[in-house]
Amino acid sequence: MRLPFMSTKDRFRCWAEVDLDALRQNLAWIRHRVGPTVKIMTVVKADAYGHGLKQIAALLMQSGTDMFGVANLSEARAIHSVGQGWSVLMLGACLPEEIEQAVRDGVRPTVSTLKEARLFSRAAVRLKRLVHAHVKVDTGMGRLGVAAEQARELIRLTSRLAGIQIEGLYTHYASVEDDAAFSRAQRLRFEKLLSDLAEDGLGIPWIHASNSGALLHEPDSLFNLVRPGLLVYGLVPPGQRRASSMLQGHLRPALEFKCRVGLVKEVPRGTSLSYGRTFVARRKMRVATLTAGYGDGYLRAGSNRASVLIHGKRCAVLGRVTMDQMLADVSRVPAARAGDEAVLIGQQGRDEISAVELANWCDTVPWEVLTNISYRVPRIYRGGQAA
């Protein structure tokens, strides 16, 4: 028997829609901005920022990325399961017990110390492989990387090791969206190292420093490879340094986060709502119970702060967000009823709630908002090449 057609909102209680055409256009705009001589390493860690790693990797392979950046080996393997032969840089440190597997898989490791380099060299010789490593330089992030003053020696010694080739050299900005002076100091430290290496005659194929924020604010650090993340997904990294308003015409958020109205009821004045009684109605209200909560990845910090869209109108989140449900004020939406779509991130009617806006309500960053969307939320792909 043929089942009747069911729209997305009729099939799921909570879901995310990913617009692949938006992703493709965003990448094309980045390509235009950096020019034809600069390669693009698309950062797809954390399940492609919550968009779904395998589907997004497949799209990017067809849409002009040159390589990928990931956090760990499992993400690298997911990319290789979609397309063999792609260059994948592991941006995180490789644990000692992971080194042999990384060499077998052909993953590009990040190297910060001579000890790491020697471990990769030994594994490469033993497995008869060649490791293409990227040396990371700590110019001010204080996380991974060799100190800028010691990097020249590390590169010189690593280049003598068997089975390992230094394919890339990179650094990472610590506060590029907010602090122009510190970012400039980081760039100058990195450029000083590049100048020293040129004197030594040590040529390294790929030089990279620009993440999404640097692409907007530090044009002098394009070098010959860039690492966009948030921009690919259509969001401008927030900060005190303002990006050009022209970006609005070029970037389009790819992800929308939605759920449904489970119940609508009237509550009298004085009614307390949700755990902890953090909201008490000051008047008679119509309240909608929504089928999403922090178990789906909607941040609990949005309690009593955030809004959602129902029938194209902003409705305040009332009380504490719970694991599977949350409450919203639909007193100004008389048509609201059970089964309606509620937009947590995205557009409905003429209004839109962005991941950046939700992050501001929750006193966090859009990276956390996107990557927090949990595994139990189905990703629905639309646009060209959607599987």
Side-chain angles (χ1 to χ4, degrees), residues 150-226:
Q150 301 167 8
R152 191 176 185 180
E153 180 70 1
L154 172 62
I155 292 167
R156 184 179 65 82
L157 294 174
T158 299
S159 65
R160 297 177 179 177
L161 296 175
I164 186 167
Q165 178 184 27
I166 300 177
E167 180 187 69
L169 179 70
Y170 74 108
T171 193
H172 191 70
Y173 285 104
S175 188
V176 72
E177 297 89 6
D178 295 304
D179 195 331
F182 190 78
S183 299
R184 181 174 183 271
Q186 283 193 265
R187 175 173 59 81
L188 291 176
R189 289 189 199 104
F190 192 57
E191 289 178 341
K192 172 64 166 58
L193 172 62
L194 295 177
S195 177
D196 292 342
L197 293 175
E199 289 181 6
D200 295 340
L202 293 173
I204 298 175
W206 300 117
I207 308 296
H208 48 113
S210 290
N211 56 4
S212 289
L215 278 171
L216 302 177
H217 303 299
E218 295 293 331
D220 291 337
S221 61
L222 281 181
F223 302 111
N224 63 359
L225 178 64
V226 294

Side-chain angles (χ1 to χ4, degrees), residues 257 259 290 298-299 301-310 312-319 321 326-330 332 342-346 348 351-355 357-362 369:
F257 190 16
C259 68
L290 308 183
Y298 193 89
L299 297 177
S303 302
N304 290 310
R305 296 180 177 180
S307 293
V308 301
L309 294 174
I310 300 174
K313 294 183 179 179
R314 293 195 170 214
C315 303
V317 173
L318 306 177
V321 174
M326 53 196 285
L327 303 174
D329 181 5
V330 291
R332 296 188 305 110
V343 174
L344 312 177
I345 299 172
Q348 191 183 67
D351 206 348
E352 181 177 8
I353 293 173
S354 70
E357 188 173 17
L358 178 55
N360 289 336
W361 286 328
C362 297
V369 167

Side-chain angles (χ1 to χ4, degrees), residues 18-40:
V18 180
D19 185 345
L20 298 180
D21 289 335
L23 280 161
R24 189 180 297 105
Q25 292 168 17
N26 295 339
L27 184 63
W29 176 80
I30 293 169
R31 172 67 69 194
H32 174 75
R33 187 177 180 89
V34 302
T37 62
V38 177
K39 300 297 184 182
I40 296 175

Side-chain angles (χ1 to χ4, degrees), residues 334-350:
R337 57 179 53 86
D340 285 347
E341 176 186 275
V343 174
L344 312 177
I345 299 172
Q347 186 171 355
Q348 191 183 67
R350 296 182 178 181

Side-chain angles (χ1 to χ4, degrees), residues 45-172:
K45 59 185 180 178
D47 200 31
Y49 288 38
H51 292 63
L53 177 54
K54 288 190 176 182
Q55 177 72 61
I56 300 309
L59 175 81
L60 294 170
M61 288 173 184
Q62 300 164 8
S63 303
T65 194
D66 297 294
M67 55 187 80
F68 293 95
V70 299
N72 54 50
L73 286 185
S74 63
E75 292 174 345
R77 282 186 157 186
I79 291 172
H80 286 152
S81 73
V82 175
Q84 290 290 330
W86 285 84
S87 294
V88 180
L89 173 63
M90 184 169 159
L91 297 164
C94 204
L95 297 173
E97 63 270 21
E98 296 175 328
I99 286 177
E100 184 167 316
Q101 191 60 57
V103 175
R104 289 184 185 276
D105 290 349
V107 175
R108 270 70 176 163
T110 288
V111 170
S112 303
T113 67
L114 184 58
K115 182 177 180 179
E116 289 177 302
R118 285 171 173 162
L119 289 173
F120 275 104
S121 173
R122 291 169 192 161
V125 170
R126 186 167 59 253
L127 297 171
K128 298 181 180 180
R129 302 287 182 90
L130 178 63
V131 173
H132 298 86
H134 288 231
V135 172
K136 187 168 188 179
V137 183
D138 183 7
T139 58
M141 183 67 178
R143 200 170 53 178
L144 298 182
V146 59
E149 299 77 16
Q150 301 167 8
R152 191 176 185 180
E153 180 70 1
L154 172 62
I155 292 167
R156 184 179 65 82
L157 294 174
T158 299
S159 65
R160 297 177 179 177
L161 296 175
I164 186 167
Q165 178 184 27
I166 300 177
E167 180 187 69
L169 179 70
Y170 74 108
T171 193
H172 191 70

